[in-house]
Amino acid sequence: MNYWPCLERGELPLVFVDCQKRFIELFSRFTCIDQQRLADYLADGKHNVIDLLQRPHDIANNERELKAIEELRELRNMYDILKSYDRDFRIKSPQDAYNYFRAIHMDRQDKEYFTALFLNTKNIVIDVKITSGTINETKIYIREIAKDALFKNAAALIFCHNHPSGDPTPSQEDIRLTQRLNEVFRFFDIAVCDHLIVANESYVSLLERFGSNFGVMEEPAEYGIGEKIARAQEQSRAYSAAARSREEIAR
Amino acid sequence: MRYPESQERLETEKGKTEMYLTVRSVLELIKRIIDEENLELDLTDQGIEGLLSFLNNPEEYVEDAGICEKVRALNELLAMLGEGGVTLGIR
């Protein structure tokens, strides 16, 4: 539908043209990207302002320009999060978590980003840690997350990463990683509430899909508590017998 | 499905400190973008409201007219990159 029937197809109303000019001027000022290059990029009919942030490699010619765009993107995301931050806002469900992560991951679709959300005992966010990877994988250093979680006195964690492919279906590697994180943080009494995978406008919560054990099989029923005690007693008797025989040999 | 909540209540002050750290990190990023990393300004006591107020009215926090102009320009750009961009028809 043409909202501006007095204009030729593709032509913008003057107020918008002025606005775009101002945008180019400002964007160029903070990123040092040539104004003409920005104007050409936005005028080709294929790109818009969001593309500038989502695919900085398309427009940036050098590391300096790339870094400047990434900083602007970072600021815009942080600003959005801070604006929506409410001290009483608690992340109570996968949907709450998705709403939070969406603001962080919205403009990060060029490669994989892994985000850890540190929560206090009331499920209020106390900090966020973002690590980036390549187009299809991110290296996760569990000890770094553990160090931060302990330093920040976090009571719980929620993890999230994006799939640049657009399909949020968890891979086997995603499931294994979540199980491992759950296992590690259990030792520190830090709950791993969930691991979300986001892609485009959708997400998958591993908690919803697999339950709080994230798909780890419970111990088989035949290994009940009685059998565990019996095995422990048997081991204990074996150790005692070995110790006695060592003492006899020594004598 | 809902996430469990811990019954412990130990963290109030810690949580407050961490939130202020987040405000500080945004301010540091702003200083880097406007190329004024040596600007002595700390908004930790004023929290998020202080940060937003600084972006909207920098003259209340900084005397240097050049810096104020840069902050106002950055704020304008942020509005264009956010929801404002939709209404202004540039995205």
Side-chain angles (χ1 to χ4, degrees):
Chain A
M1 185 185 289
N2 185 1
Y3 291 97
W4 306 91
C6 57
L7 298 168
E8 291 294 322
R9 189 179 165 79
E11 192 180 346
L12 285 169
L14 197 58
V15 60
F16 288 177
V17 173
D18 283 349
C19 187
Q20 192 166 63
K21 209 172 144 189
R22 177 70 177 148
F23 171 79
I24 289 171
E25 194 183 305
L26 289 171
F27 200 87
S28 166
R29 178 175 176 180
F30 290 109
T31 58
C32 299
I33 297 175
D34 181 63
Q35 289 194 24
Q36 190 55 51
R37 186 148 44 99
L38 280 168
D40 292 345
Y41 180 82
L42 292 170
D44 69 356
K46 295 177 197 159
H47 300 105
N48 59 26
V49 173
I50 292 300
D51 290 330
L52 285 173
L53 298 179
Q54 285 186 346
R55 297 176 189 84
H57 290 91
D58 289 356
I59 183 82
N61 270 355
N62 54 50
E63 282 298 313
R64 187 185 170 197
E65 291 175 355
L66 189 65
K67 189 166 177 276
I69 297 177
E70 283 175 349
E71 282 183 345
L72 264 182
R73 180 174 70 181
E74 192 73 25
L75 177 61
R76 206 201 93 177
N77 289 338
M78 286 167 105
Y79 185 71
D80 279 352
I81 292 166
L82 282 178
K83 272 203 298 185
S84 63
Y85 193 103
D86 178 343
R87 192 168 289 206
D88 293 327
F89 179 73
R90 297 176 184 203
I91 298 200
K92 293 177 180 169
S93 65
Q95 184 63 47
D96 288 343
Y98 171 63
N99 292 341
Y100 196 93
F101 283 120
R102 197 167 162 266
I104 299 174
H105 285 278
M106 184 171 65
D107 291 330
R108 298 168 190 269
Q109 291 174 22
D110 53 337
K111 53 187 176 182
E112 255 196 40
Y113 291 88
F114 184 89
T115 309
L117 210 58
F118 301 90
L119 307 177
N120 65 16
T121 53
K122 292 176 187 167
N123 284 16
I124 293 172
V125 179
I126 51 177
D127 212 343
V128 184
K129 186 182 175 81
I130 304 170
T131 46
S132 63
T134 62
I135 196 157
N136 57 4
E137 65 166 4
T138 312
K139 291 225 179 301
I140 310 300
Y141 296 101
I142 296 180
R143 54 175 285 143
E144 289 299 312
I145 300 171
K147 189 175 79 180
D148 284 348
L150 292 170
F151 178 70
K152 292 170 200 310
N153 205 17
L157 293 163
I158 300 176
F159 300 104
C160 177
H161 77 275
N162 63 317
H163 279 177
S165 65
D167 178 6
T169 309
S171 64
Q172 280 304 313
E173 191 49 46
D174 295 336
I175 297 165
R176 272 197 296 273
L177 171 68
T178 314
Q179 290 168 346
R180 178 99 180 101
L181 288 163
N182 192 32
E183 197 179 281
V184 167
F185 285 104
R186 194 181 291 168
F187 280 109
F188 299 117
D189 270 343
I190 298 173
V192 172
C193 289
D194 204 350
H195 184 170
L196 268 71
I197 296 159
V198 297
N200 290 335
E201 294 294 308
S202 58
Y203 75 96
V204 168
S205 151
L206 269 73
L207 175 74
E208 284 179 335
R209 185 161 287 197
F210 298 109
S212 58
N213 232 14
F214 299 110
V216 175
M217 293 294 286
E218 293 294 343
E219 230 178 338
E222 58 268 29
Y223 289 136
I225 187 72
E227 184 146 345
K228 274 184 184 172
I229 293 169
R231 274 189 291 154
Q233 285 172 340
E234 195 182 318
Q235 275 181 349
S236 169
R237 278 196 294 273
Y239 287 138
S240 304
R244 272 199 303 276
S245 64
R246 276 200 301 273
E247 280 170 16
E248 279 168 16
I249 289 165
R251 275 201 293 271
Chain B
M1 193 170 276
R2 295 174 77 81
Y3 298 142
E5 282 183 54
S6 167
Q7 296 304 309
E8 290 174 79
R9 294 184 182 279
L10 302 169
E11 79 321 306
T12 311
E13 286 307 310
K14 191 80 180 170
K16 198 188 272 182
T17 311
E18 295 296 342
M19 190 189 79
Y20 286 166
L21 273 176
T22 308
V23 171
R24 184 175 297 156
S25 60
V26 177
L27 186 60
E28 291 306 316
L29 186 57
I30 291 171
K31 289 180 190 174
R32 253 199 331 269
I33 291 173
I34 62 170
D35 203 16
E36 294 289 347
E37 285 178 79
N38 296 325
L39 174 65
E40 284 188 16
L41 177 69
D42 190 355
L43 298 170
T44 47
D45 291 339
Q46 296 170 53
I48 296 160
E49 293 79 10
L51 188 70
L52 298 175
S53 170
F54 169 62
L55 282 166
N56 288 314
N57 305 298
E59 59 282 353
E60 288 178 15
Y61 298 83
V62 185
E63 284 181 6
D64 188 315
I67 296 176
C68 289
E69 196 277 325
K70 278 196 246 183
V71 174
R72 274 194 296 271
L74 179 62
N75 196 35
E76 192 182 344
L77 180 62
L78 283 174
M80 287 175 160
L81 287 170
E83 286 307 307
V86 177
T87 48
L88 296 171
I90 54 168
R91 50 190 281 194

